[in-house]
Amino acid sequence: MKPIARPLPEKIILGNWKMNMTSTEARRWCEEFKQLPAIDNSGLWLGIAPPLTVLAEFRALVADSLLMGAQDCSALGPRGAFTGEVSAELLADAGAEFILLGHSERRRGAAAESNGLVATKLTAVQKAGLLAVLCLGESLKEREAGATESVITTQLQESLALSQRELPLAIAYEPVWAIGTGKTAEPQQISAVHQLIGQQMEGREHRILYGGSVTPANASALLRLEAVDGLLVGGASLNAASFREIVGGV
Ligand code: PGA
């Protein structure tokens, strides 16, 4: 099990493949990525969270140039009679180095994850020695009701309630209305929420990523925003050339 490298780099760019990519497609992505111009990754961490079914292919093909992550982990464990669950410890053994937690598709989808559940998962990720990437974000209804600050503050405080303060963390601000919609948040909206998160994370080693309809066309402008330490990329990470172009925007 690899402990999280310290200190955290200046920028972190992660892709989330969600429930996509057969093993053939994943292999093709990795081969294509390796053919693209090499990246100067001093001060930069790059990674992909593939589905569990292709972790082994991904690890074998591109683990030397990309971090590998998982999209979620169990709140149970680290081991035991929990059918269908996968613990952070087992993911670490499979080569995962970071784990996304509390993605809005898990908070708002069939899994209906609460902040309390995310908090328990976060402690499991920290115990396994991996980097937790905590996803937060308000819905359009919450934003329009002027509740963005309180929603983000509650998600952050409650999800971190059991965490170890001395361990580094990544936070991904992903407004729900910007995920997969082609609508990116405005720079001032992103900066305001990143600053709010930054204030609440004071004294803790952290990086704050933005996610929500990131593409090669908007990545470099997003990365230039002062409070943005990186990106979490969904749809555009499914194409190796697009992901490489996004990274080129650093
Ligand atoms: P998107 O997804 O880039 O496709 O909007 C982002 C995410 O869900 O992390």
Side-chain angles (χ1 to χ4, degrees):
M1 198 181 294
K2 289 189 235 170
I4 314 167
R6 308 279 297 263
L8 293 176
E10 216 176 297
K11 299 273 187 228
I12 302 178
I13 301 182
L14 304 176
N16 173 10
W17 283 358
K18 307 189 181 183
M19 198 170 70
N20 293 296
M21 294 285 193
T22 61
S23 49
T24 309
E25 289 163 349
R27 265 198 304 278
R28 203 179 300 135
W29 190 102
C30 293
E31 298 298 356
E32 196 185 330
F33 188 80
K34 287 202 289 192
Q35 302 300 317
L36 294 166
I39 295 157
D40 169 17
N41 51 8
S42 43
L44 171 68
W45 282 1
L46 280 183
I48 295 282
L52 299 181
T53 45
V54 298
L55 287 183
E57 272 99 346
F58 190 90
R59 184 185 190 182
L61 289 169
V62 281
D64 50 345
S65 46
L66 293 170
L67 299 178
M68 186 174 82
Q71 301 169 16
D72 182 38
C73 71
S74 177
L76 305 166
R79 297 175 195 216
F82 305 115
T83 303
E85 298 283 322
V86 184
S87 67
E89 180 177 278
L90 293 183
L91 291 166
D93 180 60
E97 291 156 300
F98 67 92
I99 302 191
L100 307 181
L101 293 174
H103 191 282
S104 67
E105 287 154 14
R106 300 204 59 78
R107 291 178 183 273
R108 292 165 198 268
E113 294 195 2
S114 64
N115 292 326
L117 185 77
V118 174
T120 306
K121 292 184 173 190
L122 204 140
T123 59
V125 173
Q126 290 191 324
K127 273 196 202 125
L130 308 182
L131 179 69
V133 182
L134 172 64
C135 304
L136 311 171
E138 81 288 359
S139 66
L140 188 57
K141 207 166 150 207
E142 289 162 340
R143 174 161 285 275
E144 285 173 352
T148 301
E149 275 198 19
S150 66
V151 168
I152 298 295
T153 302
T154 305
Q155 287 179 348
L156 188 64
Q157 299 301 335
E158 293 186 4
S159 304
L160 294 185
L162 309 171
S163 64
Q164 294 186 53
R165 289 189 64 83
E166 67 284 8
L167 294 177
L169 268 177
I171 312 287
Y173 169 54
E174 300 200 296
V176 178
W177 47 272
I179 296 179
T181 58
K183 252 190 242 166
T184 321
E186 295 297 324
Q188 63 275 23
Q189 295 173 322
I190 299 173
S191 297
V193 174
H194 280 226
Q195 275 160 19
L196 173 75
I197 296 170
Q199 282 156 11
Q200 298 187 24
M201 291 298 289
E202 226 171 297
R204 300 178 69 148
E205 187 183 354
H206 70 279
R207 295 291 180 269
I208 310 173
L209 321 185
Y210 168 79
S213 296
V214 174
T215 65
N218 60 25
S220 60
L222 290 165
L223 286 164
R224 276 199 303 274
L225 295 175
E226 210 195 316
V228 173
D229 303 319
L231 302 169
L232 180 54
V233 187
S237 72
L238 293 171
N239 178 293
S242 299
F243 187 65
R244 175 64 187 80
E245 242 188 282
I246 287 170
V247 173
V250 172

